[in-house]
mmCIF file of all heavy atoms in Angstrom:
data_model
loop_
_atom_site.group_PDB
_atom_site.id
_atom_site.type_symbol
_atom_site.label_atom_id
_atom_site.label_comp_id
_atom_site.label_asym_id
_atom_site.label_seq_id
_atom_site.Cartn_x
_atom_site.Cartn_y
_atom_site.Cartn_z
ATOM 1 N N VAL A 735 -2.972 -7.767 -1.387
ATOM 2 C CA VAL A 735 -2.575 -6.571 -2.134
ATOM 3 C C VAL A 735 -3.789 -5.680 -2.380
ATOM 4 O O VAL A 735 -3.704 -4.447 -2.274
ATOM 5 C CB VAL A 735 -1.866 -6.947 -3.454
ATOM 6 C CG1 VAL A 735 -1.670 -5.735 -4.344
ATOM 7 C CG2 VAL A 735 -0.523 -7.607 -3.155
ATOM 8 N N LEU A 736 -4.953 -6.272 -2.687
ATOM 9 C CA LEU A 736 -6.163 -5.466 -2.876
ATOM 10 C C LEU A 736 -6.574 -4.763 -1.585
ATOM 11 O O LEU A 736 -7.017 -3.604 -1.613
ATOM 12 C CB LEU A 736 -7.315 -6.325 -3.391
ATOM 13 C CG LEU A 736 -7.302 -6.630 -4.874
ATOM 14 C CD1 LEU A 736 -8.411 -7.614 -5.228
ATOM 15 C CD2 LEU A 736 -7.428 -5.361 -5.699
ATOM 16 N N LEU A 737 -6.429 -5.434 -0.446
ATOM 17 C CA LEU A 737 -6.729 -4.790 0.831
ATOM 18 C C LEU A 737 -5.779 -3.613 1.054
ATOM 19 O O LEU A 737 -6.195 -2.530 1.484
ATOM 20 C CB LEU A 737 -6.635 -5.793 1.986
ATOM 21 C CG LEU A 737 -6.983 -5.262 3.377
ATOM 22 C CD1 LEU A 737 -8.394 -4.667 3.418
ATOM 23 C CD2 LEU A 737 -6.839 -6.378 4.405
ATOM 24 N N THR A 738 -4.509 -3.801 0.725
ATOM 25 C CA THR A 738 -3.530 -2.717 0.803
ATOM 26 C C THR A 738 -3.932 -1.571 -0.121
ATOM 27 O O THR A 738 -3.880 -0.400 0.268
ATOM 28 C CB THR A 738 -2.131 -3.239 0.415
ATOM 29 O OG1 THR A 738 -1.776 -4.318 1.274
ATOM 30 C CG2 THR A 738 -1.092 -2.144 0.506
ATOM 31 N N GLY A 739 -4.348 -1.901 -1.352
ATOM 32 C CA GLY A 739 -4.773 -0.883 -2.306
ATOM 33 C C GLY A 739 -5.970 -0.096 -1.802
ATOM 34 O O GLY A 739 -6.058 1.123 -1.999
ATOM 35 N N TRP A 740 -6.907 -0.788 -1.144
ATOM 36 C CA TRP A 740 -8.073 -0.110 -0.580
ATOM 37 C C TRP A 740 -7.636 0.898 0.486
ATOM 38 O O TRP A 740 -8.073 2.052 0.471
ATOM 39 C CB TRP A 740 -9.050 -1.133 0.002
ATOM 40 C CG TRP A 740 -10.185 -0.512 0.743
ATOM 41 C CD1 TRP A 740 -11.238 0.180 0.212
ATOM 42 C CD2 TRP A 740 -10.384 -0.513 2.158
ATOM 43 N NE1 TRP A 740 -12.084 0.605 1.215
ATOM 44 C CE2 TRP A 740 -11.581 0.185 2.424
ATOM 45 C CE3 TRP A 740 -9.676 -1.054 3.220
ATOM 46 C CZ2 TRP A 740 -12.074 0.369 3.705
ATOM 47 C CZ3 TRP A 740 -10.159 -0.876 4.505
ATOM 48 C CH2 TRP A 740 -11.350 -0.174 4.735
ATOM 49 N N LEU A 741 -6.783 0.458 1.418
ATOM 50 C CA LEU A 741 -6.295 1.375 2.452
ATOM 51 C C LEU A 741 -5.585 2.569 1.819
ATOM 52 O O LEU A 741 -5.847 3.723 2.178
ATOM 53 C CB LEU A 741 -5.349 0.639 3.412
ATOM 54 C CG LEU A 741 -5.995 -0.346 4.377
ATOM 55 C CD1 LEU A 741 -4.926 -1.228 5.026
ATOM 56 C CD2 LEU A 741 -6.809 0.375 5.429
ATOM 57 N N ALA A 742 -4.703 2.289 0.867
ATOM 58 C CA ALA A 742 -3.931 3.361 0.228
ATOM 59 C C ALA A 742 -4.835 4.351 -0.502
ATOM 60 O O ALA A 742 -4.679 5.564 -0.368
ATOM 61 C CB ALA A 742 -2.900 2.761 -0.730
ATOM 62 N N SER A 743 -5.795 3.842 -1.251
ATOM 63 C CA SER A 743 -6.657 4.738 -2.020
ATOM 64 C C SER A 743 -7.581 5.550 -1.125
ATOM 65 O O SER A 743 -7.808 6.736 -1.363
ATOM 66 C CB SER A 743 -7.461 3.957 -3.057
ATOM 67 O OG SER A 743 -8.418 3.114 -2.449
ATOM 68 N N GLN A 744 -8.090 4.945 -0.068
ATOM 69 C CA GLN A 744 -8.999 5.652 0.828
ATOM 70 C C GLN A 744 -8.272 6.695 1.679
ATOM 71 O O GLN A 744 -8.854 7.709 2.051
ATOM 72 C CB GLN A 744 -9.736 4.666 1.738
ATOM 73 C CG GLN A 744 -10.662 3.709 0.993
ATOM 74 C CD GLN A 744 -11.711 4.431 0.176
ATOM 75 O OE1 GLN A 744 -11.583 4.611 -1.024
ATOM 76 N NE2 GLN A 744 -12.757 4.869 0.832
ATOM 77 N N LEU A 745 -7.008 6.434 1.996
ATOM 78 C CA LEU A 745 -6.262 7.322 2.890
ATOM 79 C C LEU A 745 -5.286 8.232 2.158
ATOM 80 O O LEU A 745 -4.557 9.002 2.791
ATOM 81 C CB LEU A 745 -5.531 6.486 3.952
ATOM 82 C CG LEU A 745 -6.468 5.673 4.852
ATOM 83 C CD1 LEU A 745 -5.678 4.751 5.769
ATOM 84 C CD2 LEU A 745 -7.384 6.588 5.652
ATOM 85 N N GLY A 746 -5.256 8.142 0.833
ATOM 86 C CA GLY A 746 -4.408 9.032 0.042
ATOM 87 C C GLY A 746 -2.932 8.702 0.096
ATOM 88 O O GLY A 746 -2.084 9.573 -0.102
ATOM 89 N N TRP A 747 -2.591 7.429 0.337
ATOM 90 C CA TRP A 747 -1.193 7.031 0.354
ATOM 91 C C TRP A 747 -0.708 6.826 -1.072
ATOM 92 O O TRP A 747 -1.435 6.333 -1.928
ATOM 93 C CB TRP A 747 -1.001 5.718 1.101
ATOM 94 C CG TRP A 747 -1.447 5.689 2.525
ATOM 95 C CD1 TRP A 747 -1.749 6.753 3.336
ATOM 96 C CD2 TRP A 747 -1.641 4.520 3.316
ATOM 97 N NE1 TRP A 747 -2.114 6.311 4.583
ATOM 98 C CE2 TRP A 747 -2.057 4.939 4.593
ATOM 99 C CE3 TRP A 747 -1.513 3.169 3.064
ATOM 100 C CZ2 TRP A 747 -2.340 4.047 5.611
ATOM 101 C CZ3 TRP A 747 -1.790 2.271 4.084
ATOM 102 C CH2 TRP A 747 -2.189 2.710 5.348
ATOM 103 N N LEU A 748 0.556 7.149 -1.312
ATOM 104 C CA LEU A 748 1.181 6.918 -2.605
ATOM 105 C C LEU A 748 2.279 5.879 -2.450
ATOM 106 O O LEU A 748 3.081 5.951 -1.506
ATOM 107 C CB LEU A 748 1.770 8.214 -3.158
ATOM 108 C CG LEU A 748 0.761 9.328 -3.424
ATOM 109 C CD1 LEU A 748 1.475 10.604 -3.844
ATOM 110 C CD2 LEU A 748 -0.247 8.896 -4.470
ATOM 111 N N LEU A 749 2.331 4.929 -3.373
ATOM 112 C CA LEU A 749 3.343 3.874 -3.343
ATOM 113 C C LEU A 749 4.720 4.502 -3.530
ATOM 114 O O LEU A 749 4.954 5.219 -4.499
ATOM 115 C CB LEU A 749 3.051 2.849 -4.440
ATOM 116 C CG LEU A 749 3.861 1.577 -4.459
ATOM 117 C CD1 LEU A 749 3.653 0.773 -3.173
ATOM 118 C CD2 LEU A 749 3.472 0.726 -5.665
ATOM 119 N N ASP A 750 5.632 4.270 -2.568
ATOM 120 C CA ASP A 750 6.989 4.814 -2.630
ATOM 121 C C ASP A 750 7.838 4.081 -3.642
ATOM 122 O O ASP A 750 8.572 4.679 -4.401
ATOM 123 C CB ASP A 750 7.679 4.691 -1.269
ATOM 124 C CG ASP A 750 7.544 5.937 -0.437
ATOM 125 O OD1 ASP A 750 7.025 6.942 -0.943
ATOM 126 O OD2 ASP A 750 7.948 5.899 0.732
ATOM 127 N N ALA A 751 7.789 2.794 -3.576
ATOM 128 C CA ALA A 751 8.613 1.942 -4.434
ATOM 129 C C ALA A 751 7.875 0.633 -4.559
ATOM 130 O O ALA A 751 6.907 0.381 -3.860
ATOM 131 C CB ALA A 751 9.984 1.725 -3.794
ATOM 132 N N SER A 752 8.357 -0.196 -5.445
ATOM 133 C CA SER A 752 7.750 -1.516 -5.489
ATOM 134 C C SER A 752 8.133 -2.251 -4.213
ATOM 135 O O SER A 752 8.643 -1.657 -3.277
ATOM 136 C CB SER A 752 8.175 -2.266 -6.748
ATOM 137 O OG SER A 752 9.576 -2.362 -6.801
ATOM 138 N N GLU A 753 7.949 -3.512 -4.198
ATOM 139 C CA GLU A 753 8.116 -4.279 -2.964
ATOM 140 C C GLU A 753 9.505 -4.148 -2.360
ATOM 141 O O GLU A 753 10.492 -4.060 -3.059
ATOM 142 C CB GLU A 753 7.817 -5.745 -3.240
ATOM 143 C CG GLU A 753 6.381 -5.965 -3.627
ATOM 144 C CD GLU A 753 6.068 -7.404 -3.850
ATOM 145 O OE1 GLU A 753 6.081 -8.162 -2.869
ATOM 146 O OE2 GLU A 753 5.819 -7.762 -5.000
ATOM 147 N N THR A 754 9.534 -4.126 -1.024
ATOM 148 C CA THR A 754 10.786 -4.169 -0.279
ATOM 149 C C THR A 754 10.881 -5.553 0.338
ATOM 150 O O THR A 754 9.959 -6.358 0.218
ATOM 151 C CB THR A 754 10.806 -3.097 0.839
ATOM 152 O OG1 THR A 754 9.813 -3.445 1.809
ATOM 153 C CG2 THR A 754 10.541 -1.712 0.278
ATOM 154 N N GLU A 755 11.948 -5.814 1.026
ATOM 155 C CA GLU A 755 12.134 -7.121 1.666
ATOM 156 C C GLU A 755 11.021 -7.417 2.664
ATOM 157 O O GLU A 755 10.590 -8.543 2.817
ATOM 158 C CB GLU A 755 13.496 -7.152 2.367
ATOM 159 C CG GLU A 755 13.827 -8.498 2.978
ATOM 160 C CD GLU A 755 15.188 -8.495 3.623
ATOM 161 O OE1 GLU A 755 16.139 -7.977 2.995
ATOM 162 O OE2 GLU A 755 15.302 -8.999 4.755
ATOM 163 N N ASN A 756 10.530 -6.390 3.347
ATOM 164 C CA ASN A 756 9.514 -6.578 4.386
ATOM 165 C C ASN A 756 8.112 -6.220 3.931
ATOM 166 O O ASN A 756 7.212 -6.150 4.756
ATOM 167 C CB ASN A 756 9.877 -5.751 5.622
ATOM 168 C CG ASN A 756 11.152 -6.222 6.267
ATOM 169 O OD1 ASN A 756 11.419 -7.414 6.319
ATOM 170 N ND2 ASN A 756 11.954 -5.290 6.729
ATOM 171 N N GLY A 757 7.887 -5.951 2.676
ATOM 172 C CA GLY A 757 6.551 -5.617 2.212
ATOM 173 C C GLY A 757 6.544 -4.424 1.286
ATOM 174 O O GLY A 757 7.312 -4.362 0.342
ATOM 175 N N LEU A 758 5.686 -3.448 1.604
ATOM 176 C CA LEU A 758 5.502 -2.275 0.760
ATOM 177 C C LEU A 758 5.691 -1.013 1.583
ATOM 178 O O LEU A 758 5.498 -1.023 2.793
ATOM 179 C CB LEU A 758 4.091 -2.282 0.158
ATOM 180 C CG LEU A 758 3.682 -3.542 -0.600
ATOM 181 C CD1 LEU A 758 2.196 -3.507 -0.916
ATOM 182 C CD2 LEU A 758 4.495 -3.682 -1.874
#
């Protein structure tokens, strides 16, 4: 999850929803 957070923060991604069946 921290690796995901790093990618999201560095690339300007915004979390759409909490977890889905296949991930985020």
